[in-house]
Amino acid sequence: QVQLVESGGGLVQPGGSLRLSCAASMSIFSLYAMGWYRQTPGKQRELVATFTSGSTTDYADSVKGRFTLSRDNAKNTVYLQMNSLKPEDTAVYYCRCVHIIQGEYWGQGTQVTVSS
């Protein structure tokens, strides 16, 4: 069983920045993939950015150049630095990981609101 704890969401003005954190309950070396998805009411959950097999990164076109993934292996944590935030980025952001053996896990989500 993998537990994911998200933090860093909140209210920010357009053009501002936030950094989301996702801490896993085990070494991220055991996680085949780890990253972030988001969802707004009436829409399907969509990829934001993720580390995949071989530490390859995958970003949604809408966030390229603004959002950046990073990780701290010692803290079992993945980060999403979000810059130049737009109102369209408003959503609940979910951490997702795929354990090599145990499969897919999701965090409970953290709200990001971009508004003046």
Side-chain angles (χ1 to χ4, degrees):
Q1 183 81 0
V2 180
Q3 294 183 346
L4 302 173
V5 179
E6 301 131 319
S7 62
L11 174 64
V12 65
Q13 294 183 355
S17 298
L18 288 171
R19 189 176 77 159
L20 305 183
S21 300
C22 177
S25 60
M26 64 176 60
S27 172
I28 60 177
F29 291 116
S30 299
L31 303 178
Y32 185 80
M34 193 168 179
W36 294 91
Y37 291 69
R38 67 187 181 188
Q39 187 169 24
T40 57
K43 295 184 64 178
Q44 293 187 341
R45 194 169 298 181
E46 66 178 2
L47 169 71
V48 179
T50 187
F51 289 107
T52 59
S53 178
S55 296
T56 302
T57 54
D58 189 11
Y59 291 88
D61 288 342
S62 60
V63 307
K64 288 180 179 177
R66 300 188 297 121
F67 293 8
T68 304
L69 283 169
S70 62
R71 61 191 173 195
D72 186 333
N73 293 336
K75 296 181 178 180
N76 298 334
T77 299
V78 169
Y79 305 95
L80 182 67
Q81 179 66 46
M82 305 188 295
N83 298 327
S84 302
L85 283 161
K86 305 174 181 179
E88 304 93 280
D89 296 317
T90 296
V92 178
Y93 284 69
Y94 296 90
C95 184
R96 171 188 180 266
C97 74
V98 181
H99 190 273
I100 295 172
I101 302 298
Q102 298 181 22
E104 184 179 59
Y105 293 86
W106 292 90
Q108 68 178 7
T110 184
Q111 177 71 47
V112 172
T113 302
V114 185
S115 176
S116 59

